[in-house]
Amino acid sequence: MTGLRFLALLVATGRMRGVGIGSSVSEVDEALGSGFIEEADEEDASRRRDYGPLEMHFSGGVMVS
């Protein structure tokens, strides 16, 4: 798959490798692996993961954006 096709599918579906908004942290871990940098608040209620070209936000263990 070319980079352009990948980006077009990501924009059109809002999903990458089967995960997107509403996916759990464990679903994202299974689909994307552990190559990320993570910031979590002190209560671990929300977290941000940076996978490089893709950044995900989780609240309550579910992806929100």
Side-chain angles (χ1 to χ4, degrees):
M1 175 182 308
T2 67
L4 185 57
R5 179 167 166 68
F6 168 77
L7 289 174
L9 285 170
L10 180 62
V11 169
T13 65
R15 303 189 75 70
M16 182 175 79
R17 292 190 172 177
V19 295
I21 293 175
S23 296
S24 69
V25 173
S26 61
E27 290 171 328
V28 173
D29 285 345
E30 187 176 318
L32 302 180
S34 61
F36 58 84
I37 297 171
E38 182 174 77
E39 287 181 9
D41 65 11
E42 290 184 19
E43 296 83 32
D44 203 29
S46 67
R47 63 180 73 189
R48 179 185 67 84
R49 285 187 173 177
D50 186 343
Y51 288 87
L54 181 66
E55 185 175 298
M56 298 178 180
H57 296 265
F58 297 88
S59 180
V62 177
M63 188 188 318
V64 292
S65 66

